[in-house]
Amino acid sequence: MSISIKTGKNASDSKRGFLKLLFLSVMAASFGGVVYPIIRYLSPVSQQQAAEKIEILKDELPPGKAKFFTYKGNPAVVIHTKSGFTALSAVCTHLGCIVKWLEDKNELQCPCHAGRFDAAGRVISGPPPNPLPQIAVTESGVKIVIG
Amino acid sequence: MELIKDINKKVLDWLDERYDARQWIRENLTEKLVHKHINWLYCFGGLSFLGFLLQIGTGIFLMMYYIPTPKDALASVQNIANNVPFGWLFQRLHSIGANVVNLLVMFHMLRVLYHGAYKKPREFQWVSGVFLLLITMAMSFTGYLLPWTQLSYWGATIGTEMPGATPIIGEWLVQLIRGSAQITGITLTRFYAIHAVVLPLTLIAFLGIHFLMIRKVGISGPM
């Protein structure tokens, strides 16, 4: 036998050390075997990567109207303005509430602290520190493609 | 290694100073005296309890994805079993584990019966044990409806029909359990509440009595 794991001064100590190591490894493996599935089970639902481009029919969105959808797991809005279609993140840059579209005022308003944004996402008034991030929009035939 | 030992000692010292931790561990765990005749047959009670703890754990995890409505129940269980990472593991642990717990409880009861361990001074040990058996079976019955499959639905129909044989109040009893004339979404949410809250709490209360009494009286002696 030429196994030499030296953790102690003599043979019996090294045998004990080895067994201890073995025991702890088995314990660690068992612990991991229990904890790993639990962490995987509880981890957030993976955001849909496949639907990175979202298509909306132009007919669904007459001028002045807005449509909300989920883009990369977060709420977003596309607005039919006078100058065309604008897609924005619908998450307020202040504290993360979801903005709503006020058609008569032609602006987006956050219900939490009354932050106001124009149809291009620029801050009009209220506490939001930054404009709403823009999302690319392209028109193709009867559809608009977002993303 | 030395560091762990050191921390261990410090923690135990701290607890010792306040709660006599080492003495408590000695008396209740490491140097607890039991009869010489104790053998593996005496494990079924403890194993039942272990099974119950496992059911609690897996049950909590299932609750995080389960939706108790007639429209979504089956789909949510299928989602757990097919899509959620390791969902199959927790779902099967819970459903198969339920059967295992029932078996363990029965074995435990048979052991007690065979050894005559229910006799004085342990009569109430037996009585509380019978309640625990009934609660365990009620757990299985209410849990069986929750996936809202054909088997669940008709199983619950038949099971809840049985109290109908009670004289006079039978029909009323059936409808009380169902919450409606037939098995509906109301029965589902009712069973869900009973399965996940009412019965576990009742079970824990009876377990407390069961354990405290056996600590006081001690495990039965040799036959």
Side-chain angles (χ1 to χ4, degrees), chain A residues 85-119:
Chain A
F85 295 97
T86 327
L88 301 164
S89 158
V91 181
C92 180
T93 51
H94 178 221
L95 286 170
C97 296
I98 299 166
V99 296
K100 58 184 176 183
W101 172 245
L102 302 179
E103 196 187 331
D104 49 336
K105 289 184 183 163
N106 208 35
E107 64 181 47
L108 293 155
Q109 197 189 56
C110 178
C112 292
H113 305 102
R116 289 161 66 216
F117 304 89
D118 67 12

PDB file of all heavy atoms in Angstrom, chain A residues 85-119:
ATOM      1  N   PHE A  85     -44.459  55.711 -34.435  1.00  0.00           N
ATOM      2  CA  PHE A  85     -44.546  54.825 -33.277  1.00  0.00           C
ATOM      3  C   PHE A  85     -43.325  55.007 -32.373  1.00  0.00           C
ATOM      4  O   PHE A  85     -42.201  55.080 -32.849  1.00  0.00           O
ATOM      5  CB  PHE A  85     -44.634  53.363 -33.727  1.00  0.00           C
ATOM      6  CG  PHE A  85     -45.898  53.062 -34.484  1.00  0.00           C
ATOM      7  CD1 PHE A  85     -45.917  53.069 -35.872  1.00  0.00           C
ATOM      8  CD2 PHE A  85     -47.076  52.777 -33.793  1.00  0.00           C
ATOM      9  CE1 PHE A  85     -47.080  52.795 -36.571  1.00  0.00           C
ATOM     10  CE2 PHE A  85     -48.246  52.497 -34.490  1.00  0.00           C
ATOM     11  CZ  PHE A  85     -48.248  52.504 -35.883  1.00  0.00           C
ATOM     12  N   THR A  86     -43.571  55.082 -31.061  1.00  0.00           N
ATOM     13  CA  THR A  86     -42.487  55.154 -30.087  1.00  0.00           C
ATOM     14  C   THR A  86     -42.671  54.029 -29.092  1.00  0.00           C
ATOM     15  O   THR A  86     -43.769  53.837 -28.565  1.00  0.00           O
ATOM     16  CB  THR A  86     -42.529  56.470 -29.277  1.00  0.00           C
ATOM     17  OG1 THR A  86     -43.036  57.492 -30.111  1.00  0.00           O
ATOM     18  CG2 THR A  86     -41.181  56.820 -28.729  1.00  0.00           C
ATOM     19  N   ALA A  87     -41.593  53.295 -28.833  1.00  0.00           N
ATOM     20  CA  ALA A  87     -41.660  52.262 -27.794  1.00  0.00           C
ATOM     21  C   ALA A  87     -40.752  52.667 -26.646  1.00  0.00           C
ATOM     22  O   ALA A  87     -39.619  53.113 -26.847  1.00  0.00           O
ATOM     23  CB  ALA A  87     -41.238  50.913 -28.349  1.00  0.00           C
ATOM     24  N   LEU A  88     -41.292  52.555 -25.421  1.00  0.00           N
ATOM     25  CA  LEU A  88     -40.550  52.975 -24.230  1.00  0.00           C
ATOM     26  C   LEU A  88     -40.667  51.906 -23.150  1.00  0.00           C
ATOM     27  O   LEU A  88     -41.640  51.130 -23.136  1.00  0.00           O
ATOM     28  CB  LEU A  88     -41.150  54.263 -23.659  1.00  0.00           C
ATOM     29  CG  LEU A  88     -41.203  55.510 -24.537  1.00  0.00           C
ATOM     30  CD1 LEU A  88     -42.159  56.501 -23.914  1.00  0.00           C
ATOM     31  CD2 LEU A  88     -39.816  56.092 -24.689  1.00  0.00           C
ATOM     32  N   SER A  89     -39.701  51.901 -22.267  1.00  0.00           N
ATOM     33  CA  SER A  89     -39.871  51.111 -21.061  1.00  0.00           C
ATOM     34  C   SER A  89     -40.988  51.754 -20.258  1.00  0.00           C
ATOM     35  O   SER A  89     -41.066  52.968 -20.169  1.00  0.00           O
ATOM     36  CB  SER A  89     -38.570  51.115 -20.254  1.00  0.00           C
ATOM     37  OG  SER A  89     -38.846  50.819 -18.908  1.00  0.00           O
ATOM     38  N   ALA A  90     -41.878  50.934 -19.665  1.00  0.00           N
ATOM     39  CA  ALA A  90     -42.994  51.506 -18.908  1.00  0.00           C
ATOM     40  C   ALA A  90     -42.675  51.576 -17.416  1.00  0.00           C
ATOM     41  O   ALA A  90     -43.553  51.824 -16.599  1.00  0.00           O
ATOM     42  CB  ALA A  90     -44.256  50.701 -19.145  1.00  0.00           C
ATOM     43  N   VAL A  91     -41.405  51.313 -17.077  1.00  0.00           N
ATOM     44  CA  VAL A  91     -41.016  51.331 -15.669  1.00  0.00           C
ATOM     45  C   VAL A  91     -40.507  52.719 -15.320  1.00  0.00           C
ATOM     46  O   VAL A  91     -39.512  53.189 -15.876  1.00  0.00           O
ATOM     47  CB  VAL A  91     -39.923  50.278 -15.389  1.00  0.00           C
ATOM     48  CG1 VAL A  91     -39.533  50.292 -13.923  1.00  0.00           C
ATOM     49  CG2 VAL A  91     -40.411  48.899 -15.792  1.00  0.00           C
ATOM     50  N   CYS A  92     -41.173  53.394 -14.409  1.00  0.00           N
ATOM     51  CA  CYS A  92     -40.801  54.745 -14.019  1.00  0.00           C
ATOM     52  C   CYS A  92     -39.375  54.744 -13.475  1.00  0.00           C
ATOM     53  O   CYS A  92     -38.995  53.878 -12.702  1.00  0.00           O
ATOM     54  CB  CYS A  92     -41.774  55.275 -12.963  1.00  0.00           C
ATOM     55  SG  CYS A  92     -41.382  56.946 -12.422  1.00  0.00           S
ATOM     56  N   THR A  93     -38.598  55.753 -13.890  1.00  0.00           N
ATOM     57  CA  THR A  93     -37.198  55.807 -13.484  1.00  0.00           C
ATOM     58  C   THR A  93     -37.033  56.302 -12.049  1.00  0.00           C
ATOM     59  O   THR A  93     -35.925  56.320 -11.525  1.00  0.00           O
ATOM     60  CB  THR A  93     -36.406  56.731 -14.429  1.00  0.00           C
ATOM     61  OG1 THR A  93     -37.110  57.974 -14.519  1.00  0.00           O
ATOM     62  CG2 THR A  93     -36.291  56.112 -15.802  1.00  0.00           C
ATOM     63  N   HIS A  94     -38.130  56.680 -11.410  1.00  0.00           N
ATOM     64  CA  HIS A  94     -38.044  57.130 -10.018  1.00  0.00           C
ATOM     65  C   HIS A  94     -37.935  55.935  -9.088  1.00  0.00           C
ATOM     66  O   HIS A  94     -36.861  55.612  -8.605  1.00  0.00           O
ATOM     67  CB  HIS A  94     -39.270  58.007  -9.686  1.00  0.00           C
ATOM     68  CG  HIS A  94     -39.303  58.486  -8.269  1.00  0.00           C
ATOM     69  ND1 HIS A  94     -40.463  58.523  -7.525  1.00  0.00           N
ATOM     70  CD2 HIS A  94     -38.318  58.917  -7.451  1.00  0.00           C
ATOM     71  CE1 HIS A  94     -40.176  58.971  -6.315  1.00  0.00           C
ATOM     72  NE2 HIS A  94     -38.881  59.224  -6.251  1.00  0.00           N
ATOM     73  N   LEU A  95     -39.052  55.213  -8.882  1.00  0.00           N
ATOM     74  CA  LEU A  95     -38.998  54.061  -7.975  1.00  0.00           C
ATOM     75  C   LEU A  95     -39.632  52.805  -8.562  1.00  0.00           C
ATOM     76  O   LEU A  95     -40.097  51.922  -7.839  1.00  0.00           O
ATOM     77  CB  LEU A  95     -39.648  54.408  -6.634  1.00  0.00           C
ATOM     78  CG  LEU A  95     -38.815  55.337  -5.742  1.00  0.00           C
ATOM     79  CD1 LEU A  95     -39.624  55.827  -4.559  1.00  0.00           C
ATOM     80  CD2 LEU A  95     -37.549  54.648  -5.248  1.00  0.00           C
ATOM     81  N   GLY A  96     -39.684  52.740  -9.890  1.00  0.00           N
ATOM     82  CA  GLY A  96     -40.044  51.478 -10.522  1.00  0.00           C
ATOM     83  C   GLY A  96     -41.512  51.138 -10.645  1.00  0.00           C
ATOM     84  O   GLY A  96     -41.856  50.003 -10.925  1.00  0.00           O
ATOM     85  N   CYS A  97     -42.424  52.098 -10.429  1.00  0.00           N
ATOM     86  CA  CYS A  97     -43.831  51.805 -10.690  1.00  0.00           C
ATOM     87  C   CYS A  97     -44.061  51.772 -12.209  1.00  0.00           C
ATOM     88  O   CYS A  97     -43.209  52.188 -12.974  1.00  0.00           O
ATOM     89  CB  CYS A  97     -44.735  52.869 -10.056  1.00  0.00           C
ATOM     90  SG  CYS A  97     -44.614  52.906  -8.268  1.00  0.00           S
ATOM     91  N   ILE A  98     -45.225  51.284 -12.610  1.00  0.00           N
ATOM     92  CA  ILE A  98     -45.523  51.194 -14.043  1.00  0.00           C
ATOM     93  C   ILE A  98     -46.369  52.394 -14.450  1.00  0.00           C
ATOM     94  O   ILE A  98     -47.421  52.661 -13.853  1.00  0.00           O
ATOM     95  CB  ILE A  98     -46.238  49.870 -14.357  1.00  0.00           C
ATOM     96  CG1 ILE A  98     -45.308  48.709 -13.973  1.00  0.00           C
ATOM     97  CG2 ILE A  98     -46.610  49.800 -15.830  1.00  0.00           C
ATOM     98  CD1 ILE A  98     -45.994  47.380 -13.926  1.00  0.00           C
ATOM     99  N   VAL A  99     -45.884  53.120 -15.448  1.00  0.00           N
ATOM    100  CA  VAL A  99     -46.582  54.339 -15.873  1.00  0.00           C
ATOM    101  C   VAL A  99     -47.846  53.992 -16.655  1.00  0.00           C
ATOM    102  O   VAL A  99     -47.972  52.884 -17.161  1.00  0.00           O
ATOM    103  CB  VAL A  99     -45.660  55.225 -16.744  1.00  0.00           C
ATOM    104  CG1 VAL A  99     -44.477  55.716 -15.940  1.00  0.00           C
ATOM    105  CG2 VAL A  99     -45.210  54.472 -17.987  1.00  0.00           C
ATOM    106  N   LYS A 100     -48.782  54.954 -16.712  1.00  0.00           N
ATOM    107  CA  LYS A 100     -49.978  54.762 -17.533  1.00  0.00           C
ATOM    108  C   LYS A 100     -50.032  55.858 -18.597  1.00  0.00           C
ATOM    109  O   LYS A 100     -49.425  56.921 -18.457  1.00  0.00           O
ATOM    110  CB  LYS A 100     -51.228  54.768 -16.658  1.00  0.00           C
ATOM    111  CG  LYS A 100     -51.402  56.043 -15.856  1.00  0.00           C
ATOM    112  CD  LYS A 100     -52.604  55.954 -14.930  1.00  0.00           C
ATOM    113  CE  LYS A 100     -52.678  57.214 -14.065  1.00  0.00           C
ATOM    114  NZ  LYS A 100     -53.762  57.194 -13.103  1.00  0.00           N
ATOM    115  N   TRP A 101     -50.757  55.563 -19.678  1.00  0.00           N
ATOM    116  CA  TRP A 101     -50.851  56.505 -20.809  1.00  0.00           C
ATOM    117  C   TRP A 101     -52.118  57.338 -20.681  1.00  0.00           C
ATOM    118  O   TRP A 101     -53.211  56.776 -20.565  1.00  0.00           O
ATOM    119  CB  TRP A 101     -50.851  55.731 -22.125  1.00  0.00           C
ATOM    120  CG  TRP A 101     -51.119  56.546 -23.344  1.00  0.00           C
ATOM    121  CD1 TRP A 101     -52.193  56.446 -24.172  1.00  0.00           C
ATOM    122  CD2 TRP A 101     -50.297  57.576 -23.880  1.00  0.00           C
ATOM    123  NE1 TRP A 101     -52.087  57.348 -25.191  1.00  0.00           N
ATOM    124  CE2 TRP A 101     -50.941  58.070 -25.038  1.00  0.00           C
ATOM    125  CE3 TRP A 101     -49.083  58.175 -23.483  1.00  0.00           C
ATOM    126  CZ2 TRP A 101     -50.402  59.094 -25.809  1.00  0.00           C
ATOM    127  CZ3 TRP A 101     -48.554  59.190 -24.252  1.00  0.00           C
ATOM    128  CH2 TRP A 101     -49.211  59.643 -25.403  1.00  0.00           C
ATOM    129  N   LEU A 102     -51.963  58.660 -20.643  1.00  0.00           N
ATOM    130  CA  LEU A 102     -53.129  59.548 -20.604  1.00  0.00           C
ATOM    131  C   LEU A 102     -53.330  60.105 -22.004  1.00  0.00           C
ATOM    132  O   LEU A 102     -52.577  60.983 -22.441  1.00  0.00           O
ATOM    133  CB  LEU A 102     -52.915  60.675 -19.595  1.00  0.00           C
ATOM    134  CG  LEU A 102     -52.649  60.244 -18.151  1.00  0.00           C
ATOM    135  CD1 LEU A 102     -52.426  61.489 -17.278  1.00  0.00           C
ATOM    136  CD2 LEU A 102     -53.792  59.421 -17.588  1.00  0.00           C
ATOM    137  N   GLU A 103     -54.340  59.560 -22.698  1.00  0.00           N
ATOM    138  CA  GLU A 103     -54.503  59.905 -24.109  1.00  0.00           C
ATOM    139  C   GLU A 103     -54.859  61.379 -24.302  1.00  0.00           C
ATOM    140  O   GLU A 103     -54.299  62.052 -25.166  1.00  0.00           O
ATOM    141  CB  GLU A 103     -55.607  59.022 -24.700  1.00  0.00           C
ATOM    142  CG  GLU A 103     -55.595  59.010 -26.204  1.00  0.00           C
ATOM    143  CD  GLU A 103     -56.800  58.273 -26.751  1.00  0.00           C
ATOM    144  OE1 GLU A 103     -57.306  57.356 -26.076  1.00  0.00           O
ATOM    145  OE2 GLU A 103     -57.244  58.617 -27.848  1.00  0.00           O
ATOM    146  N   ASP A 104     -55.760  61.891 -23.439  1.00  0.00           N
ATOM    147  CA  ASP A 104     -56.204  63.279 -23.615  1.00  0.00           C
ATOM    148  C   ASP A 104     -55.079  64.282 -23.353  1.00  0.00           C
ATOM    149  O   ASP A 104     -55.045  65.365 -23.936  1.00  0.00           O
ATOM    150  CB  ASP A 104     -57.422  63.557 -22.721  1.00  0.00           C
ATOM    151  CG  ASP A 104     -57.199  63.104 -21.286  1.00  0.00           C
ATOM    152  OD1 ASP A 104     -56.340  62.201 -21.087  1.00  0.00           O
ATOM    153  OD2 ASP A 104     -57.859  63.626 -20.377  1.00  0.00           O
ATOM    154  N   LYS A 105     -54.143  63.942 -22.475  1.00  0.00           N
ATOM    155  CA  LYS A 105     -53.047  64.870 -22.181  1.00  0.00           C
ATOM    156  C   LYS A 105     -51.806  64.573 -23.015  1.00  0.00           C
ATOM    157  O   LYS A 105     -50.824  65.315 -22.967  1.00  0.00           O
ATOM    158  CB  LYS A 105     -52.673  64.782 -20.696  1.00  0.00           C
ATOM    159  CG  LYS A 105     -53.723  65.377 -19.773  1.00  0.00           C
ATOM    160  CD  LYS A 105     -53.230  65.344 -18.340  1.00  0.00           C
ATOM    161  CE  LYS A 105     -54.306  65.870 -17.396  1.00  0.00           C
ATOM    162  NZ  LYS A 105     -54.016  65.482 -16.002  1.00  0.00           N
ATOM    163  N   ASN A 106     -51.856  63.461 -23.746  1.00  0.00           N
ATOM    164  CA  ASN A 106     -50.726  63.062 -24.573  1.00  0.00           C
ATOM    165  C   ASN A 106     -49.447  62.889 -23.742  1.00  0.00           C
ATOM    166  O   ASN A 106     -48.367  63.305 -24.153  1.00  0.00           O
ATOM    167  CB  ASN A 106     -50.522  64.092 -25.690  1.00  0.00           C
ATOM    168  CG  ASN A 106     -49.883  63.449 -26.904  1.00  0.00           C
ATOM    169  OD1 ASN A 106     -50.160  62.276 -27.210  1.00  0.00           O
ATOM    170  ND2 ASN A 106     -49.024  64.178 -27.575  1.00  0.00           N
ATOM    171  N   GLU A 107     -49.595  62.294 -22.562  1.00  0.00           N
ATOM    172  CA  GLU A 107     -48.406  62.075 -21.737  1.00  0.00           C
ATOM    173  C   GLU A 107     -48.536  60.799 -20.907  1.00  0.00           C
ATOM    174  O   GLU A 107     -49.638  60.253 -20.742  1.00  0.00           O
ATOM    175  CB  GLU A 107     -48.169  63.272 -20.813  1.00  0.00           C
ATOM    176  CG  GLU A 107     -49.291  63.479 -19.794  1.00  0.00           C
ATOM    177  CD  GLU A 107     -49.055  64.686 -18.903  1.00  0.00           C
ATOM    178  OE1 GLU A 107     -48.722  65.751 -19.424  1.00  0.00           O
ATOM    179  OE2 GLU A 107     -49.218  64.532 -17.677  1.00  0.00           O
ATOM    180  N   LEU A 108     -47.393  60.367 -20.415  1.00  0.00           N
ATOM    181  CA  LEU A 108     -47.368  59.205 -19.531  1.00  0.00           C
ATOM    182  C   LEU A 108     -47.287  59.702 -18.104  1.00  0.00           C
ATOM    183  O   LEU A 108     -46.558  60.647 -17.806  1.00  0.00           O
ATOM    184  CB  LEU A 108     -46.139  58.327 -19.831  1.00  0.00           C
ATOM    185  CG  LEU A 108     -46.126  57.637 -21.199  1.00  0.00           C
ATOM    186  CD1 LEU A 108     -44.703  57.352 -21.625  1.00  0.00           C
ATOM    187  CD2 LEU A 108     -46.929  56.347 -21.143  1.00  0.00           C
ATOM    188  N   GLN A 109     -48.053  59.053 -17.219  1.00  0.00           N
ATOM    189  CA  GLN A 109     -48.024  59.492 -15.833  1.00  0.00           C
ATOM    190  C   GLN A 109     -47.765  58.305 -14.922  1.00  0.00           C
ATOM    191  O   GLN A 109     -48.300  57.210 -15.148  1.00  0.00           O
ATOM    192  CB  GLN A 109     -49.361  60.136 -15.480  1.00  0.00           C
ATOM    193  CG  GLN A 109     -49.264  60.971 -14.218  1.00  0.00           C
ATOM    194  CD  GLN A 109     -50.633  61.427 -13.759  1.00  0.00           C
ATOM    195  OE1 GLN A 109     -51.518  60.618 -13.535  1.00  0.00           O
ATOM    196  NE2 GLN A 109     -50.801  62.735 -13.619  1.00  0.00           N
ATOM    197  N   CYS A 110     -46.936  58.532 -13.903  1.00  0.00           N
ATOM    198  CA  CYS A 110     -46.670  57.462 -12.948  1.00  0.00           C
ATOM    199  C   CYS A 110     -47.667  57.604 -11.793  1.00  0.00           C
ATOM    200  O   CYS A 110     -47.793  58.675 -11.200  1.00  0.00           O
ATOM    201  CB  CYS A 110     -45.247  57.560 -12.423  1.00  0.00           C
ATOM    202  SG  CYS A 110     -44.897  56.297 -11.194  1.00  0.00           S
ATOM    203  N   PRO A 111     -48.412  56.536 -11.453  1.00  0.00           N
ATOM    204  CA  PRO A 111     -49.442  56.643 -10.411  1.00  0.00           C
ATOM    205  C   PRO A 111     -48.872  56.764  -9.003  1.00  0.00           C
ATOM    206  O   PRO A 111     -49.589  57.161  -8.086  1.00  0.00           O
ATOM    207  CB  PRO A 111     -50.233  55.340 -10.569  1.00  0.00           C
ATOM    208  CG  PRO A 111     -49.254  54.381 -11.158  1.00  0.00           C
ATOM    209  CD  PRO A 111     -48.348  55.181 -12.029  1.00  0.00           C
ATOM    210  N   CYS A 112     -47.587  56.440  -8.814  1.00  0.00           N
ATOM    211  CA  CYS A 112     -47.053  56.418  -7.439  1.00  0.00           C
ATOM    212  C   CYS A 112     -46.728  57.821  -6.922  1.00  0.00           C
ATOM    213  O   CYS A 112     -47.161  58.197  -5.845  1.00  0.00           O
ATOM    214  CB  CYS A 112     -45.824  55.524  -7.374  1.00  0.00           C
ATOM    215  SG  CYS A 112     -46.247  53.791  -7.628  1.00  0.00           S
ATOM    216  N   HIS A 113     -45.937  58.599  -7.683  1.00  0.00           N
ATOM    217  CA  HIS A 113     -45.546  59.914  -7.189  1.00  0.00           C
ATOM    218  C   HIS A 113     -45.749  61.005  -8.236  1.00  0.00           C
ATOM    219  O   HIS A 113     -45.048  62.013  -8.235  1.00  0.00           O
ATOM    220  CB  HIS A 113     -44.091  59.891  -6.711  1.00  0.00           C
ATOM    221  CG  HIS A 113     -43.829  58.828  -5.700  1.00  0.00           C
ATOM    222  ND1 HIS A 113     -43.209  57.644  -6.019  1.00  0.00           N
ATOM    223  CD2 HIS A 113     -44.152  58.736  -4.397  1.00  0.00           C
ATOM    224  CE1 HIS A 113     -43.142  56.876  -4.953  1.00  0.00           C
ATOM    225  NE2 HIS A 113     -43.707  57.514  -3.946  1.00  0.00           N
ATOM    226  N   ALA A 114     -46.694  60.741  -9.157  1.00  0.00           N
ATOM    227  CA  ALA A 114     -47.092  61.746 -10.139  1.00  0.00           C
ATOM    228  C   ALA A 114     -45.946  62.241 -11.015  1.00  0.00           C
ATOM    229  O   ALA A 114     -45.903  63.412 -11.388  1.00  0.00           O
ATOM    230  CB  ALA A 114     -47.800  62.924  -9.464  1.00  0.00           C
ATOM    231  N   GLY A 115     -45.030  61.363 -11.353  1.00  0.00           N
ATOM    232  CA  GLY A 115     -44.020  61.719 -12.347  1.00  0.00           C
ATOM    233  C   GLY A 115     -44.696  61.766 -13.706  1.00  0.00           C
ATOM    234  O   GLY A 115     -45.572  60.963 -13.998  1.00  0.00           O
ATOM    235  N   ARG A 116     -44.317  62.772 -14.549  1.00  0.00           N
ATOM    236  CA  ARG A 116     -44.955  62.886 -15.867  1.00  0.00           C
ATOM    237  C   ARG A 116     -43.903  62.849 -16.965  1.00  0.00           C
ATOM    238  O   ARG A 116     -42.834  63.448 -16.831  1.00  0.00           O
ATOM    239  CB  ARG A 116     -45.769  64.184 -15.936  1.00  0.00           C
ATOM    240  CG  ARG A 116     -47.037  64.160 -15.080  1.00  0.00           C
ATOM    241  CD  ARG A 116     -47.543  65.571 -14.822  1.00  0.00           C
ATOM    242  NE  ARG A 116     -47.996  66.210 -16.047  1.00  0.00           N
ATOM    243  CZ  ARG A 116     -47.832  67.503 -16.296  1.00  0.00           C
ATOM    244  NH1 ARG A 116     -47.241  68.287 -15.415  1.00  0.00           N
ATOM    245  NH2 ARG A 116     -48.273  68.009 -17.430  1.00  0.00           N
ATOM    246  N   PHE A 117     -44.207  62.107 -18.011  1.00  0.00           N
ATOM    247  CA  PHE A 117     -43.294  61.989 -19.160  1.00  0.00           C
ATOM    248  C   PHE A 117     -44.069  62.326 -20.422  1.00  0.00           C
ATOM    249  O   PHE A 117     -45.260  62.029 -20.517  1.00  0.00           O
ATOM    250  CB  PHE A 117     -42.783  60.551 -19.299  1.00  0.00           C
ATOM    251  CG  PHE A 117     -42.118  59.999 -18.074  1.00  0.00           C
ATOM    252  CD1 PHE A 117     -42.863  59.335 -17.090  1.00  0.00           C
ATOM    253  CD2 PHE A 117     -40.738  60.089 -17.913  1.00  0.00           C
ATOM    254  CE1 PHE A 117     -42.245  58.802 -15.975  1.00  0.00           C
ATOM    255  CE2 PHE A 117     -40.111  59.553 -16.796  1.00  0.00           C
ATOM    256  CZ  PHE A 117     -40.865  58.904 -15.827  1.00  0.00           C
ATOM    257  N   ASP A 118     -43.401  62.938 -21.405  1.00  0.00           N
ATOM    258  CA  ASP A 118     -44.089  63.155 -22.696  1.00  0.00           C
ATOM    259  C   ASP A 118     -44.022  61.868 -23.524  1.00  0.00           C
ATOM    260  O   ASP A 118     -43.443  60.871 -23.098  1.00  0.00           O
ATOM    261  CB  ASP A 118     -43.512  64.365 -23.442  1.00  0.00           C
ATOM    262  CG  ASP A 118     -42.089  64.136 -23.910  1.00  0.00           C
ATOM    263  OD1 ASP A 118     -41.624  62.979 -23.859  1.00  0.00           O
ATOM    264  OD2 ASP A 118     -41.438  65.124 -24.317  1.00  0.00           O
ATOM    265  N   ALA A 119     -44.610  61.906 -24.709  1.00  0.00           N
ATOM    266  CA  ALA A 119     -44.728  60.694 -25.519  1.00  0.00           C
ATOM    267  C   ALA A 119     -43.376  60.154 -25.987  1.00  0.00           C
ATOM    268  O   ALA A 119     -43.283  59.029 -26.471  1.00  0.00           O
ATOM    269  CB  ALA A 119     -45.627  60.953 -26.709  1.00  0.00           C
TER     270      ALA A 119
END
